[in-house]
Amino acid sequence: MDVKIVKAEWKDRDIVRNMYAFYLHDLTKYTDALKVNEEGTFEFDAFSLIWDKEGIEPYLIKADGKLAGFLLLLRAPFLRKADYCINDFFLYNSFRGKNVGQTAIDLLFSKYKGTYYIEQLKRNEPAIRFWKKVYRYYQLNVDDTSRMEDGEECVGQLVNVE
């Protein structure tokens, strides 16, 4: 598959909002902290920050020209302990297991070198397996962390991509 990551623009905000609802729905398998809203969907409560705050960059992931998912990259001045943070990473089910995610990360790592912080819910074993595979592929040294957020244990990794 021909995979591309494209920086989302203001005109793409409804697309990103829609994908966020699917992403948050997927996360309900691993946390009780997310609740459906009055419209019957899930929403990111700080969604407007994506477009209003410097250091937050949404990217659309496209595979063979079709929307496959998104990633949310954080950077300075938003971060202090790493150059970048992959805050959210989502693929539609039909693109999972087809190397689309790995290729999207390849493109990101090729474009942005430096220290990354990446975090998963501890109960989200598929995400943890995916990131371990990425770290093995790149032969990265991993500095593991753990913290609580909204009553859920999160595991994080600090890695340096050169």
Side-chain angles (χ1 to χ4, degrees), residues 81-82 115-120 135 140-146 154-160:
K81 295 183 180 183
T115 305
Y116 281 79
Y117 180 72
I118 302 164
E119 186 174 82
Q120 309 85 45
Y135 304 144
L140 298 173
N141 293 322
V142 179
D143 184 12
D144 292 306
T145 65
S146 180
C154 298
V155 293
Q157 304 85 41
L158 197 61
V159 297
N160 188 39

Side-chain angles (χ1 to χ4, degrees), residues 14 40 57 67 83 96-97 104 119 140 160:
D14 289 338
E57 297 178 1
L67 282 173
D83 299 313
R96 295 177 187 173
E119 186 174 82
L140 298 173
N160 188 39

Side-chain angles (χ1 to χ4, degrees), residues 6-48:
V6 180
K7 190 170 180 184
E9 298 178 21
W10 174 253
K11 67 179 177 58
D12 302 315
R13 70 189 175 285
D14 289 338
I15 294 168
V16 175
R17 178 179 285 124
N18 291 339
M19 284 193 284
Y20 246 106
F22 286 108
Y23 169 67
L24 295 173
H25 175 264
D26 281 2
L27 289 180
T28 63
K29 291 182 197 174
Y30 313 109
T31 179
D32 297 324
L34 298 169
K35 304 292 182 209
V36 69
N37 66 18
E38 293 298 317
E39 288 82 38
T41 189
F42 295 87
E43 62 184 309
F44 177 39
D45 57 353
F47 185 78
S48 65

Side-chain angles (χ1 to χ4, degrees), residues 39-80:
E39 288 82 38
T41 189
F42 295 87
E43 62 184 309
F44 177 39
D45 57 353
F47 185 78
S48 65
L49 291 179
I50 294 173
W51 314 104
D52 297 338
K53 191 137 177 104
E54 183 182 354
I56 303 176
E57 297 178 1
Y59 287 84
L60 301 175
I61 301 169
K62 295 189 175 188
D64 291 340
K66 297 177 184 165
L67 282 173
F70 77 94
L71 66 87
L72 189 65
L73 184 69
L74 306 182
R75 55 174 32 200
F78 206 74
L79 298 176
R80 292 191 183 100

Side-chain angles (χ1 to χ4, degrees), residues 69-127:
F70 77 94
L71 66 87
L72 189 65
L73 184 69
L74 306 182
R75 55 174 32 200
F78 206 74
L79 298 176
R80 292 191 183 100
K81 295 183 180 183
D83 299 313
Y84 307 102
C85 172
I86 300 174
N87 196 69
D88 300 305
F89 184 76
F90 169 78
L91 290 177
Y92 289 115
N93 289 331
S94 59
F95 292 96
R96 295 177 187 173
K98 297 179 179 174
N99 208 35
V100 174
Q102 175 70 52
T103 304
I105 297 302
D106 286 346
L107 294 167
L108 187 72
F109 283 178
S110 294
K111 187 172 184 175
Y112 300 111
K113 305 291 186 196
T115 305
Y116 281 79
Y117 180 72
I118 302 164
E119 186 174 82
Q120 309 85 45
L121 290 166
K122 186 173 183 176
R123 292 172 39 195
N124 189 347
E125 293 177 13

